[in-house]
C-alpha cells in the first residue's frame, strides 16, 4: 500500500498538492520528529511553507503497531503519503498524524503460538498499514520437508505451500493467505525453518474486525483482532534512546525469567541511512561494519563492562536479544557503531585502457565525491576465451578481460566515504563481472565482447559513507511487566 501511495505522490504536481496542505504543520514535543517532518515535506513537495508555531489540534502519536485504516477524501492523500514516507514500521511503535475522523489500530493476537508433533507455528510482526495487514507465519521444526528429494526452487515452494497451507478467514469468506517472500534456514541438510511473509486486505468498513488464520496440520485457528491502539505522546515513553545525525536508536529491556533478560532495540533512520539500508542488497553497500572492525560494530555490556551474548531474533527495523542475566546486570549499554549513509550522487568516467597484455598504473583519473575521492590505481586488459560459469552450459566467447583496481579515500569530516558502486555505462556490454574488496581497495573484472578499445565508459554511483558518531544507549533499569 505504501508503494502505491508513493507512486501517487510522485506523480502529483504542485497545483495538485497546494490546495490539500494543512494551514500549518503540527508542533510536537519531540523536536527531532518535528524537524524531520519539516525537512521531508519541504524536500518532497519542493515548496516553502511558512510555519506558524501555534499549537493546533493535530498531534503526533506513537502507537503500538499502528496503522492508518481510513484515509478519507483524496485531498488528504498527498500530505498523508508524505508523512507515511517519513516514519517506519517499528516493533511496537508507529507514528500517525491525528487528523479528523482517523483512528489508530493494532493487531491483537492472544495466542500467537501452536505446537504439534515437534513442529511450532508462530505469528510474528503482524501490523496494519493503510487497509492492509502484514505479518509472518513462522514454522519451525527438526525437519519440515524431505530434503533428499531433488526439486527445483519452485517445486520446493509448492511442496511447502501444500504441506503448510495457510488460509485467511474474514466474515463468511476464506482464501489462501497471500505470501510474498520466504526465509528458509537449512542446517545439516534439513529444512528447519519456513517463513511465510505476506499481507491481506482488511475489511473494517464492512464491520469485520476479527480475522482468522488456519495452518494445515494444526488443530486451532489463530484469532487476530483489530482494536483501537493504546497511544503515547512522548517517544521517551518507548525506551531509552540516543539521537545523532537525525538517526535514533531506541532500546529497552525486561526481566523474562529467573536468569534471563529480553533486550529489544529499533531504529528510526535518517533519509540517508534509510536509503543505504534499502539498497545494500543491490549495490553491495557494507552497512554492518565501521572502519571494517566487525567484532566491535555492535555489542551489549552489563554494569561491569562485560560483553553479554545471547540468542538473536530479527524484528522490523530492529532486533531482540535473549540474554543471560539478572537485575544486578543493569544498567546495560547497547553499543551501535556509526551508520552508513548514501545519496544519489553519481559521476561518469571515461577510463583509458592500456594496450592488450599491458598494465597501466600512472596518469589514471580520479573522481571526486562530496565525502571522498575514488582513485583508479591500475587498469589492465588482455584477450581471453570466456567460458559460461553455468555448469549446464558449454558456451564460450572470444572476449577481452579488463581488470580495474581502485580505492576510495575518505575526506575528513562527519561523513567519510568508503565505497562506491561502479558499473559500465549503458552502451557498454559484458558477459560477466567479478568484484572483490579488501578494506578501501577494490578490484572489478569485466569480460567484454572482444574488440579494440582505447577507453571504457563507466558510471560511479551510490557512494557509501560512514556518518561519524557511535550510539551508546544506556538502559538504566528493566521495564516492569504489568
Amino acid at each position: 500500500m505504501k508503494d502505491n501511495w508513493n507512486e501517487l505522490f510522485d506523480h502529483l504536481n504542485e497545483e495538485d498538492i497546494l490546495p490539500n496542505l494543512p494551514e500549518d504543520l503540527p508542533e510536537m514535543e519531540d523536536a527531532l520528529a518535528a524537524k524531520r517532518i519539516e525537512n521531508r515535506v519541504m524536500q518532497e513537495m519542493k515548496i516553502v511553507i511558512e510555519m506558524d508555531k501555534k499549537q493546533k489540534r493535530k498531534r503526533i502519536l506513537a502507537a503500538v503497531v499502528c496503522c492508518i485504516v481510513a484515509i478519507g477524501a483524496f485531498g488528504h492523500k498527498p500530505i498523508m503519503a508524505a508523512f507515511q514516507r517519513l516514519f517506519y514500521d517499528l516493533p511496537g511503535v508507529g507514528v500517525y498524524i491525528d487528523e479528523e475522523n482517523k483512528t489508530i489500530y493494532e493487531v491483537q493476537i492472544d495466542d500467537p503460538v501452536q505446537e504439534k508433533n515437534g513442529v511450532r507455528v508462530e505469528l510474528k510482526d503482524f501490523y496494519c498499514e493503510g487497509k492492509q495487514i502484514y505479518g509472518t507465519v513462522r514454522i519451525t521444526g527438526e525437519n519440515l520437508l524431505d530434503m533428499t528429494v531433488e526439486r527445483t526452487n519452485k517445486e520446493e515452494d509448492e511442496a511447502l505451500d501444500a504441506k503448510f497451507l495457510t488460509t485467511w478467514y474474514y466474515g463468511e469468506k476464506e482464501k489462501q493467505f497471500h505470501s510474498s517472500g520466504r526465509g528458509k534456514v537449512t542446517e545439516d541438510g534439513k529444512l528447519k525453518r519456513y517463513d511465510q511473509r505476506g499481507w491481506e486486505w482488511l475489511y473494517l468498513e464492512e464491520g469485520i474486525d476479527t480475522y482468522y488464520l488456519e495452518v494445515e496440520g494444526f488443530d486451532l485457528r489463530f484469532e487476530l483482532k483489530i482494536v483501537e491502539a493504546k497511544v503515547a505522546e512522548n517517544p521517551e515513553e518507548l525506551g531509552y534512546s540516543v539521537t545523532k545525525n537525525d538517526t535514533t536508536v531506541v532500546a529497552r529491556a525486561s526481566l523474562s525469567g529467573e536468569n534471563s533478560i529480553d533486550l529489544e532495540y529499533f531504529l528510526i533512520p535518517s533519509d540517508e541511512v534509510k536509503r543505504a539500508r534499502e539498497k545494500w542488497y543491490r549495490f553491495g553497500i557494507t552497512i554492518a561494519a565501521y572502519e571494517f572492525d566487525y567484532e566491535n560494530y555492535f555489542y551489549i555490556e552489563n554494569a561491569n563492562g562485560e560483553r553479554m551474548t545471547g540468542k538473536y531474533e530479527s524484528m522490523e527495523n530492529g532486533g531482540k536479544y535473549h540474554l543471560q542475566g539478572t537485575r544486578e546486570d543493569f544498567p546495560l549499554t547497547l553499543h551501535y557503531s556509526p551508520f552508513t549513509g548514501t545519496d544519489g550522487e553519481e559521476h561518469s568516467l571515461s577510463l583509458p585502457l592500456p594496450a592488450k597484455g599491458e598494465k597501466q598504473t600512472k596518469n589514471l583519473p580520479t573522481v571526486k565525491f562530496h565525502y571522498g575521492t575514488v582513485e583508479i590505481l591500475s587498469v589492465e586488459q588482455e584477450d581471453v576465451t570466456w567460458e559460461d560459469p553455468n555448469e549446464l552450459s558449454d558456451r564460450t566467447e572470444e572476449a577481452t578481460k579488463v581488470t580495474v583496481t581502485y580505492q576510495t579515500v575518505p575526506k575528513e569530516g562527519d561523513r567519510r566515504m568508503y565505497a562506491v558502486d561502479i558499473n559500465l555505462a549503458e552502451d557498454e556490454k559484458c558477459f560477466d563481472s567479478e568484484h572483490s574488496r579488501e578494506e578501501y581497495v577494490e578490484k572489478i573484472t569485466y569480460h567484454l565482447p572482444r574488440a579494440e578499445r582505447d577507453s571504457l565508459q563507466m558510471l560511479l554511483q551510490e557512494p557509501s559513507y560512514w556518518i561519524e558518531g557511535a550510539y551508546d544507549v544506556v538502559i538504566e533499569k528493566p521495564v516492569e511487566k504489568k
Side-chain angles (χ1 to χ4, degrees):
M1 190 69 175
K2 181 182 291 185
D3 290 340
N4 294 337
W5 286 3
N6 288 348
E7 183 177 351
L8 166 69
F9 183 71
D10 288 339
H11 287 84
L12 289 174
N13 56 40
E14 184 173 315
E15 295 162 343
D16 294 321
I17 293 169
L18 283 173
N20 299 306
L21 286 173
E23 60 181 315
D24 62 2
L25 294 177
E27 180 178 328
M28 294 164 288
E29 295 180 14
D30 178 13
L32 170 65
K35 186 63 178 176
R36 195 175 292 153
I37 282 185
E38 177 187 350
N39 289 342
R40 175 59 69 87
V41 173
M42 297 298 185
Q43 171 189 340
E44 295 288 348
M45 297 186 173
K46 297 181 175 63
I47 59 176
V48 176
I49 303 171
E50 291 298 328
M51 290 186 63
D52 179 1
K53 297 301 183 181
K54 296 179 181 178
Q55 178 70 36
K56 297 294 181 179
R57 66 179 178 275
K58 303 180 183 69
R59 296 178 299 162
I60 291 292
L61 299 178
V64 179
V65 197
C66 84
C67 69
I68 301 169
V69 174
I71 299 306
F74 175 81
H76 288 146
K77 286 187 178 179
I79 188 69
M80 292 306 298
F83 288 124
Q84 280 259 319
R85 284 177 159 188
L86 176 60
F87 297 105
Y88 312 96
D89 304 319
L90 307 174
V93 180
V95 179
Y96 177 75
I97 303 299
D98 189 19
E99 294 278 0
E100 296 177 4
N101 301 320
K102 302 297 189 299
T103 308
I104 298 172
Y105 290 89
E106 67 169 290
V107 182
Q108 180 178 296
I109 309 173
D110 292 334
D111 297 303
V113 178
Q114 290 186 50
E115 294 190 45
K116 185 176 180 180
N117 299 329
V119 178
R120 172 189 171 99
V121 59
E122 179 181 6
L123 303 194
K124 293 177 54 64
D125 299 331
F126 272 79
Y127 65 96
C128 295
E129 183 179 324
K131 293 187 178 182
Q132 290 169 306
I133 182 171
Y134 298 82
T136 298
V137 179
R138 172 164 293 175
I139 301 169
T140 53
E142 181 57 31
N143 193 17
L144 301 180
L145 193 66
D146 184 359
M147 302 300 289
T148 63
V149 179
E150 291 189 8
R151 304 181 181 90
T152 64
N153 289 337
K154 181 179 179 181
E155 290 170 339
E156 185 176 306
D157 289 341
E158 290 174 348
L160 285 165
D161 283 341
K163 184 174 182 179
F164 300 108
L165 177 66
T166 301
T167 306
W168 174 255
Y169 295 89
Y170 54 104
E172 301 298 323
K173 301 178 181 179
E174 65 179 72
K175 63 178 178 179
Q176 184 174 349
F177 183 63
H178 180 79
S179 181
S180 56
R182 299 171 174 84
K184 301 173 185 176
V185 176
T186 303
E187 300 176 4
D188 301 327
K190 296 180 180 180
L191 185 66
K192 296 187 176 183
R193 191 179 91 190
Y194 169 52
D195 285 354
Q196 297 183 73
R197 298 189 182 98
W199 61 270
E200 281 301 341
W201 293 105
L202 295 174
Y203 299 91
L204 296 175
E205 68 274 12
E206 299 178 13
I208 304 174
D209 60 5
T210 301
Y211 301 81
Y212 299 91
L213 277 176
E214 183 178 86
V215 180
E216 185 80 16
F218 290 83
D219 300 328
L220 302 176
R221 293 180 182 178
F222 293 96
E223 180 178 285
L224 297 80
K225 194 170 184 64
I226 312 302
V227 300
E228 187 170 342
K230 301 178 290 291
V231 298
E233 296 190 21
N234 298 316
E236 290 79 8
E237 299 177 27
L238 305 174
Y240 299 92
S241 66
V242 172
T243 298
K244 292 181 181 180
N245 303 311
D246 291 336
T247 291
T248 300
V249 179
V250 181
R252 56 194 175 199
S254 61
L255 300 173
S256 55
E258 183 176 344
N259 190 35
S260 60
I261 297 172
D262 282 345
L263 183 150
E264 62 181 3
Y265 72 92
F266 49 86
L267 311 178
I268 305 176
S270 66
D271 286 348
E272 55 191 340
V273 171
K274 181 173 184 289
R275 179 184 173 100
R277 294 174 69 82
E278 289 175 343
K279 292 182 176 290
W280 79 280
Y281 283 109
R282 177 180 175 188
F283 293 103
I285 292 173
T286 301
I287 64 171
Y290 176 65
E291 297 293 353
F292 305 97
D293 184 6
Y294 293 88
E295 182 179 350
N296 296 310
Y297 181 74
F298 181 97
Y299 55 83
I300 300 164
E301 290 183 340
N302 63 14
N304 297 323
E306 300 165 337
R307 293 197 184 184
M308 306 176 72
T309 59
K311 184 179 179 181
Y312 175 75
E313 178 183 354
S314 65
M315 301 173 68
E316 289 287 335
N317 282 298
K320 177 182 287 189
Y321 275 89
H322 305 280
L323 307 168
Q324 287 189 342
T326 66
R327 187 179 295 272
E328 283 66 39
D329 286 298
F330 287 81
L332 307 179
T333 300
L334 181 150
H335 174 84
Y336 218 128
S337 288
F339 289 98
T340 291
T342 190
D343 55 37
E345 186 178 4
E346 63 180 39
H347 298 278
S348 297
L349 171 65
S350 180
L351 183 65
L353 299 178
K356 292 181 178 178
E358 296 184 2
K359 180 178 182 178
Q360 183 173 345
T361 59
K362 296 181 179 180
N363 301 318
L364 292 170
T366 61
V367 180
K368 292 186 177 181
F369 283 77
H370 293 319
Y371 306 120
T373 301
V374 176
E375 299 179 348
I376 306 299
L377 302 179
S378 67
V379 182
E380 52 189 314
Q381 70 166 336
E382 59 178 322
D383 284 341
V384 298
T385 299
W386 174 79
E387 297 181 359
D388 192 333
N390 186 340
E391 61 183 14
L392 300 179
S393 171
D394 56 2
R395 177 189 170 197
T396 62
E397 297 283 352
E398 297 301 304
T400 299
K401 177 182 175 181
V402 176
T403 302
V404 182
T405 303
Y406 60 96
Q407 70 176 354
T408 303
V409 180
K411 285 185 179 179
E412 293 296 327
D414 290 340
R415 287 162 174 76
R416 299 169 58 84
M417 180 174 156
Y418 68 92
V420 67
D421 184 63
I422 294 184
N423 289 310
L424 296 177
E426 289 187 5
D427 56 348
E428 299 279 6
K429 307 300 180 184
C430 73
F431 299 121
D432 66 15
S433 63
E434 297 179 6
H435 184 272
S436 63
R437 176 175 62 209
E438 184 175 346
E439 296 194 347
Y440 293 97
V441 177
E442 303 181 57
K443 180 182 290 187
I444 189 166
T445 300
Y446 296 103
H447 287 97
L448 311 166
R450 184 172 295 180
E452 297 298 322
R453 299 178 180 82
D454 57 13
S455 65
L456 194 62
Q457 305 306 309
M458 310 185 77
L459 178 65
L460 286 68
Q461 59 186 351
E462 296 295 335
S464 306
Y465 47 84
W466 303 118
I467 307 173
E468 295 288 350
Y471 298 75
D472 289 294
V473 184
V474 178
I475 306 170
E476 297 286 353
K477 57 184 180 180
V479 176
E480 299 297 338
K481 294 186 177 180
K482 297 181 179 180

